[in-house]
């Protein structure tokens, strides 16, 4: 009888790709994957440990799974990914319910880890994260019409608040030919939208080819039959080249949506963050993008309460958000992470003030988002249909302006039955919170 394995995948899309790779290893080795935790002999929790809230989510999920081990038929627990990579000695000590741990460099050891957990043996493996092979077979867990395409691993940016370089290793691009082959395979499975991801997508190719090569990669991806949308995420603003802008502007398959995390606008704060940008360079790239790609939707993230952030720094950030009117924006409160340079910086901002500043940013962004959504009423958008909502009694999907699992939805009626993954034209008629409503027009 084969071992039944369940999965809990936490964190970012890059972590999801790791989960899909582990699933493929297990399926190839004859393990049975089950959808329900209560049916599993062993559960793998693939964790994130980027900031405090992610660590808490990981631990809460491990404890939920541990309840099944104590009260049901679950025999073993495997913890994979960033949490054990960052806290190698602590995981099993603090969570004795865990049977096996594997770091980000040891996903190829998932079969051994699951077997050991099933048999009640303790197991740990931490391979070299800087040499572990990238890519490989995956079991796609996203809906069949879209998939994440990881083009690089690791990060060398070393922002002073961030633990990712120590967790994921140095930046490594995948060879372009390998990425193109994977994208062709995805297209053959019915994938229509590729979400291109890495810790820093705009750095792609520098280590392999000596130049930033995201523009060339995107051009090659757009030649693949069946791929209709290419969406670029995690684009560092200082590496957005003129040739990449030209490619986005001229290539009809590249959606006019760009995710560019800026984190702040005050130059002194950016310097303390060890970011390569300044207020001037950020303003310049945003202006260039909007001038050369009319109608582009820009998504960004900003941080409140970084050590030393003064009232003046924050006021500048809030004014910049009001003025720039990002179509999509997420904010988060600075999380003091041990092992990062910012942990020891003086002038730590009180938690209450960090939270207040966060709420002021998000209050302003809600107004901006509502106005932008209202301006789309009366327009017809091309939408990828994602399904039918029984409660709302309507179909729902996304336009170019919305990334999967991050942004909003469009809910709409249709005179005919729609297939998941089908592209339709939707006339926008109203706004409900962050979402739009409308009807399909043929």
């Amino acid at each position: 009888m084969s071992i039944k394995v369940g999965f809990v995948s936490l964190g970012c899309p890059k972590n999801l790709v790791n989960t899909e790779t582990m699933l493929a290893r297990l399926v190839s080795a004859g393990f049975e994957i089950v959808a329900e935790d209560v049916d599993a002999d062993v559960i793998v929790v693939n964790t994130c440990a980027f900031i405090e809230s992610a660590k808490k989510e990981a631990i809460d999920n491990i404890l939920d799974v541990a309840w099944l081990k104590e009260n049901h038929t679950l025999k073993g627990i495997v913890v994979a990914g960033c949490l054990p990579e960052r806290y190698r000695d602590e995981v099993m000590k603090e969570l004795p319910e865990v049977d096996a741990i594997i770091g980000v460099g040891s996903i190829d050891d998932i079969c051994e880890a699951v077997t050991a957990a099933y048999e009640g043996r303790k197991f740990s493996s931490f391979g070299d994260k800087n040499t572990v092979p990238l890519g490989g077979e995956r079991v796609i867990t996203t809906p069949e019409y879209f998939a994440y395409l990881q083009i690089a691993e690791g990060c060398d940016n070393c922002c002073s608040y961030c633990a990712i370089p120590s967790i994921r290793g140095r930046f490594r691009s995948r060879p372009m030919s390998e990425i193109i082959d994977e994208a062709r395979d995805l297209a053959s499975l019915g994938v229509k939208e590729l979400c291109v991801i890495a810790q820093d997508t705009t750095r792609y190719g520098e280590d392999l080819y000596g130049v930033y090569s995201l523009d060339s990669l995107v051009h090659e991806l757009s030649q693949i039959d069946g791929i209709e949308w290419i969406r670029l995420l995690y684009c560092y603003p200082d590496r957005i080249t003129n040739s990449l802008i030209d490619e986005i502007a001229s290539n009809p398959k590249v959606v006019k949506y760009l995710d560019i995390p800026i984190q702040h606008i005050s130059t002194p704060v950016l310097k303390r963050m060890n970011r390569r940008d300044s207020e001037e360079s950020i303003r310049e790239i945003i202006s260039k993008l909007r001038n050369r790609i009319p109608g582009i939707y820009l998504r960004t993230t900003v941080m409140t309460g970084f050590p030393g952030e003064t009232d003046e720094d924050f006021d500048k950030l809030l004014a910049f958000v009001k003025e720039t009117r990002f179509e999509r924006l997420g904010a988060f409160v600075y999380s003091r992470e041990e092992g990062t340079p910012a942990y020891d910086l003086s002038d730590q901002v009180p938690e209450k003030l960090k939270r207040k500043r966060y709420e002021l940013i998000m209050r302003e962004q809600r107004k901006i988002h509502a106005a932008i959504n209202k301006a789309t009423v009366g327009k017809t958008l091309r939408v990828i249909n994602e399904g039918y909502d029984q409660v709302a009694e309507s179909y729902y999907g996304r336009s170019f302006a919305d990334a999967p699992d991050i942004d909003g939805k469009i809910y709409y009626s249709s005179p005919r039955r729609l297939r998941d993954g089908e592209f339709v034209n939707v006339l926008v008629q109203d706004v409900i919170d962050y979402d739009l409503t409308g009807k399909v027009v043929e």
Side-chain angles (χ1 to χ4, degrees):
M1 184 182 72
S2 61
I3 300 173
K4 296 177 180 177
V5 185
F7 260 82
V8 177
S9 188
L10 306 172
C12 65
K14 297 175 287 293
N15 225 33
L16 180 63
V17 171
N18 290 153
T19 291
E20 293 175 338
T21 302
M22 287 188 281
L23 283 167
R25 301 283 194 279
L26 290 164
V27 170
S28 178
F31 292 80
E32 180 183 349
I33 307 301
V34 295
E36 300 296 333
D37 289 351
V38 292
D39 297 328
D41 299 317
V42 175
I43 291 177
V44 180
V45 184
N46 191 21
T47 59
C48 176
F50 171 46
I51 55 178
E52 187 62 35
S53 59
K55 289 181 281 186
K56 184 178 185 306
E57 182 186 25
I59 292 168
D60 287 347
N61 274 270
I62 293 166
L63 293 176
D64 286 346
V65 169
W67 185 91
L68 288 175
K69 189 178 178 186
E70 184 177 344
N71 296 283
H72 208 264
T73 58
L74 186 70
K75 291 182 171 61
I77 301 171
V78 178
V79 176
C82 296
L83 188 72
E85 185 69 41
R86 188 173 181 189
Y87 301 102
R88 295 188 180 190
D89 299 327
E90 289 95 330
V91 173
M92 281 189 175
K93 186 193 305 180
E94 300 296 330
L95 298 165
E97 304 91 341
V98 174
D99 301 284
I101 54 175
I102 58 173
V104 298
S106 294
I107 59 175
D108 284 345
D109 291 337
I110 185 62
C111 297
E112 291 89 334
V114 167
T115 301
Y118 180 76
E119 295 173 352
R121 294 184 287 110
K122 294 293 185 181
F123 178 93
S124 66
S125 178
F126 294 95
D128 186 348
K129 57 198 169 211
N130 291 312
T131 60
V132 62
L134 304 181
E137 293 294 320
R138 293 160 57 192
V139 172
I140 305 301
T141 59
T142 50
E144 63 180 17
Y145 48 84
F146 94 86
Y148 294 105
L149 183 65
Q150 185 168 2
I151 63 173
E153 179 58 279
C155 186
D156 296 339
N157 291 326
C158 297
C159 301
S160 64
Y161 53 82
C162 184
I164 286 177
S166 64
I167 297 172
R168 307 295 298 197
R170 60 181 173 80
F171 181 87
R172 293 185 295 147
S173 300
R174 296 175 61 193
M176 193 176 299
S177 58
E178 181 184 304
I179 297 170
I180 299 300
D181 285 345
E182 180 178 352
R184 285 200 184 98
D185 289 342
L186 292 170
S188 71
L189 294 173
V191 168
K192 297 179 180 180
E193 178 182 10
L194 292 175
C195 294
V196 177
I197 58 171
Q199 300 294 344
D200 178 356
T201 52
T202 34
R203 191 183 171 188
Y204 173 75
E206 181 194 32
D207 53 326
L208 292 181
Y209 310 118
V211 293
Y212 300 145
S213 305
L214 183 59
D215 55 338
S216 301
L217 174 63
V218 165
H219 185 78
E220 292 301 315
L221 290 171
S222 71
Q223 307 304 306
I224 298 173
D225 290 340
I227 300 300
E228 298 195 41
W229 277 359
I230 299 169
R231 187 180 300 276
L232 303 179
L233 303 177
Y234 313 119
C235 298
Y236 274 62
D238 65 300
R239 292 188 170 118
I240 297 174
T241 61
N242 287 328
S243 56
L244 178 60
I245 294 173
D246 290 342
E247 185 64 34
I248 296 169
S250 62
N251 192 328
K253 287 192 177 182
V254 183
V255 295
K256 308 315 180 224
Y257 171 111
L258 203 61
D259 173 34
I260 52 168
I262 62 166
Q263 307 309 351
H264 217 281
I265 194 59
S266 166
T267 297
V269 174
L270 290 166
K271 283 183 178 177
R272 286 197 299 278
M273 288 179 169
N274 199 34
R275 303 281 291 186
R276 293 181 301 277
D277 297 297
S278 64
E279 177 181 357
E280 182 183 10
S281 68
I282 289 171
R283 288 183 180 276
E284 182 182 342
I285 193 62
I286 290 170
S287 175
K288 187 183 291 186
L289 286 165
R290 286 192 164 154
N291 286 334
R292 290 169 59 177
I293 313 173
I296 190 171
Y297 269 50
L298 296 179
R299 160 169 277 284
T300 196
T301 52
V302 297
M303 183 190 301
T304 63
F306 188 78
E309 183 190 55
T310 63
D311 288 342
E312 182 183 1
D313 292 326
F314 175 73
D315 289 344
K316 178 173 279 192
L317 176 62
L318 183 60
F320 178 73
V321 168
K322 290 179 181 180
E323 168 200 338
T324 308
R325 297 177 64 81
F326 286 99
E327 286 77 11
R328 304 287 183 259
L329 181 144
F332 61 98
V333 169
Y334 166 70
S335 176
R336 191 181 184 192
E337 295 298 319
E338 65 272 22
T340 65
Y343 184 86
D344 296 318
L345 287 178
S346 58
D347 300 322
Q348 296 284 331
V349 177
E351 205 65 38
K352 191 174 179 180
L353 183 55
K354 288 193 284 189
R355 175 63 54 179
K356 180 184 177 184
R357 289 172 176 175
Y358 162 84
E359 289 169 354
L360 287 170
I361 290 283
M362 291 313 297
R363 183 189 306 167
E364 189 59 40
Q365 183 59 27
R366 278 192 290 273
K367 296 177 191 173
I368 294 168
H369 196 109
I372 289 169
N373 270 356
K374 191 174 181 181
T376 64
V377 173
K379 295 181 179 179
T380 298
L381 301 177
R382 188 171 185 240
V383 171
I384 189 165
N385 183 61
E386 296 188 296
Y388 186 82
D389 188 315
Q390 298 286 350
V391 175
E393 296 184 333
S394 68
Y395 290 96
Y396 62 92
R398 294 176 291 106
S399 74
F400 78 96
D402 298 299
D405 302 321
I406 301 173
D407 300 316
K409 303 279 190 189
I410 304 178
Y411 292 85
Y412 43 89
S413 60
S414 173
R416 61 179 177 84
R417 188 169 182 175
L418 303 178
R419 301 184 308 277
D420 291 359
E422 178 181 356
F423 283 94
V424 292
N425 293 317
V426 175
L427 174 65
V428 179
Q429 296 174 304
D430 203 357
V431 178
I432 301 177
D433 296 327
Y434 283 93
D435 300 322
L436 304 173
T437 63
K439 65 178 181 180
V440 170
V441 291
E442 300 292 356

